[in-house]
């Protein structure tokens, strides 16, 4: 693995995802031991030539010799491409680069709802991405779609449930956003959208946990008790994760209980 030396990625220390992949670059040898640095620890000199606003949305790669900066997907392409030139060549072609740039923005603007972390409020510099309604709505739509299709398939494995259709599952998934938002009417739109993003991430996580059973059932007949047990465990994991996120967001704890209430009401509606 070729090492890109004298280059430093400025990562968001309050973003577990950012910390994970930048650490991976260093441990794999793609970057040297000084190849990552927290955005919050920028020196006064570095702040003079780095676009601080842009760096919150697009990870910055600083050339420590020339004092030049690369941002966003181009930073990642530069790091990976130094070890794998073929990848860089492919990634820099216009159609591929366009797609990668959009995918990067999709993740970057939603990173605080995909894997949220506790914010270190004592830091003067905060690496908080701009709030982007377009990418937030796209993320919610993406999570809602995956959740709906997985639940549509999983419900067929539970005989006690009446025959479903994809439209009902979409309505149920979207309905929880509306239902939970009713208990946030005192909060501003941005807070509600942040919560909605976290809410759908929890649903997406639950769907991914259910997915192995759906796949395995294509090859063997899984007993109903296993299907129900796996579903119950998934709900418990989702509840715990929802509760954790509520704490991070500093929102009322009762949202976790209304989250359960919605599922009880939805189940009662389905069975009637």
């Amino acid at each position: 693995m070729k090492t890109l030396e004298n280059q430093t990625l400025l990562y968001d220390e309050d973003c577990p995802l950012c910390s994970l992949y930048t650490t991976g670059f260093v441990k794999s040898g793609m970057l040297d031991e000084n190849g990552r640095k927290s955005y919050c620890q920028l020196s006064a000199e570095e702040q003079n030539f780095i676009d601080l606003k842009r760096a919150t949305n697009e990870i910055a790669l600083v050339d420590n010799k020339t004092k030049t900066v690369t941002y966003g997907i181009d930073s990642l392409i530069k790091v990976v491409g130094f070890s794998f030139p073929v990848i860089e060549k492919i990634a820099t072609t216009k159609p591929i680069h366009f797609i990668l740039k959009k995918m990067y923005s999709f993740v970057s603007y939603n990173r605080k709802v995909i894997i949220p972390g506790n914010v270190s409020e004592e830091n003067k510099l905060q690496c908080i991405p701009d709030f982007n309604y377009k990418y937030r709505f796209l993320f919610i739509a993406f999570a809602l779609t995956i959740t709906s299709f997985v639940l549509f398939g999983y419900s067929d494995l539970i005989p006690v449930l009446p025959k479903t259709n994809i439209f009902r599952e979409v309505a149920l998934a979207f309905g929880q956003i509306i239902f939970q938002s009713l208990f946030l009417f005192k909060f501003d739109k941005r807070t509600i959208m942040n919560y909605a993003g976290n809410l759908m991430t929890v649903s997406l996580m639950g769907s991914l946990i259910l997915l192995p059973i759906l796949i395995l059932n294509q090859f063997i007949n899984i007993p109903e008790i296993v299907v129900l047990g796996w579903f119950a465990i998934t709900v418990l994991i989702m509840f715990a994760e929802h509760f954790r996120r509520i704490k991070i967001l500093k929102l009322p704890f009762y949202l976790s209980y209304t989250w359960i209430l919605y599922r009880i009401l939805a189940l009662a509606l389905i069975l009637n």
Side-chain angles (χ1 to χ4, degrees):
M1 196 77 71
K2 293 174 63 179
T3 301
L4 183 61
E5 298 179 337
N6 298 310
Q7 306 277 329
T8 303
L9 276 173
L10 303 179
Y11 72 99
D12 177 2
E13 69 176 42
D14 297 324
C15 168
L17 182 63
C18 307
S19 181
L20 180 66
Y21 78 76
T22 53
T23 299
F25 283 147
V26 174
K27 287 187 175 181
S28 67
M30 289 186 179
L31 291 171
D32 60 33
E33 59 182 13
N34 297 313
R36 67 191 290 267
K37 181 178 183 178
S38 170
Y39 174 93
C40 302
Q41 296 174 355
L42 284 173
S43 66
E45 180 189 358
E46 290 169 327
Q47 292 181 44
N48 288 329
F49 64 86
I50 295 171
D51 186 336
L52 297 180
K53 187 66 174 175
R54 186 177 180 184
T56 62
N57 300 319
E58 304 175 65
I59 191 167
L61 178 66
V62 180
D63 187 317
N64 297 308
K65 282 188 175 181
T66 63
K67 306 300 181 185
T68 55
V69 188
T70 308
Y71 296 92
I73 191 63
D74 293 325
S75 298
L76 303 184
I77 291 173
K78 186 175 181 179
V79 173
V80 177
F82 192 75
S83 294
F84 304 99
V86 174
I87 292 179
E88 182 178 23
K89 187 175 182 180
I90 294 172
T92 51
T93 58
K94 284 188 177 181
I96 302 298
H97 187 268
F98 176 80
I99 294 171
L100 290 176
K101 189 173 183 179
K102 293 299 180 183
M103 290 175 64
Y104 177 87
S105 296
F106 177 79
V107 174
S108 181
Y109 283 112
N110 288 297
R111 67 180 189 264
K112 297 292 187 180
V113 300
I114 295 174
I115 308 180
N118 292 306
V119 178
S120 303
E121 296 181 355
E122 66 272 11
N123 291 326
K124 292 182 179 180
L125 282 175
Q126 294 288 339
C127 191
I128 301 173
D130 290 335
F131 189 87
N132 189 296
Y133 279 100
K134 179 181 74 173
Y135 284 110
R136 184 56 47 81
F137 279 123
L138 282 173
F139 176 76
I140 290 173
F142 169 77
L144 189 147
T145 301
I146 300 298
T147 299
S148 299
F149 275 100
V150 171
L151 289 179
F152 172 66
Y154 204 88
S155 62
D156 284 341
L157 304 182
I158 305 176
V160 295
L161 294 179
K163 188 70 175 177
T164 186
N165 59 68
I166 191 62
F167 299 106
R168 189 187 78 182
E169 298 304 332
V170 170
L172 288 172
F174 185 71
Q176 73 170 338
I177 299 176
I178 303 299
F179 184 81
Q180 291 292 87
S181 297
L182 295 176
F183 299 95
L184 291 170
F185 64 92
K186 291 183 179 180
F187 293 85
D188 59 76
K189 291 181 181 178
R190 184 170 296 189
T191 300
I192 294 174
M193 287 298 294
N194 274 332
Y195 172 70
N198 277 276
L199 179 64
M200 290 313 302
T201 302
V202 172
S203 295
L204 179 61
M205 181 189 74
S207 298
L208 295 178
I209 296 173
L210 294 176
L211 198 55
I213 294 293
L214 272 178
I215 295 173
L216 192 59
N217 193 67
Q218 301 299 313
F219 304 98
I220 61 173
N221 187 27
I222 299 177
E224 184 181 347
I225 187 67
V226 175
V227 172
L228 291 173
W230 190 266
F231 186 79
I233 291 171
T234 300
V235 172
L236 286 175
I237 294 172
M238 290 171 65
F239 176 79
E241 178 61 14
H242 183 273
F243 191 85
R244 184 186 76 87
R245 288 170 182 254
I246 288 297
K247 189 175 180 180
I248 291 173
L249 295 172
K250 298 180 180 179
L251 290 174
F253 286 126
Y254 61 70
L255 286 171
S256 287
Y257 302 110
T258 56
W259 182 85
I260 294 175
L261 176 62
Y262 177 77
R263 276 150 180 76
I264 294 173
L265 293 174
L267 181 60
L269 184 64
I270 290 170
L271 293 176
N272 287 333

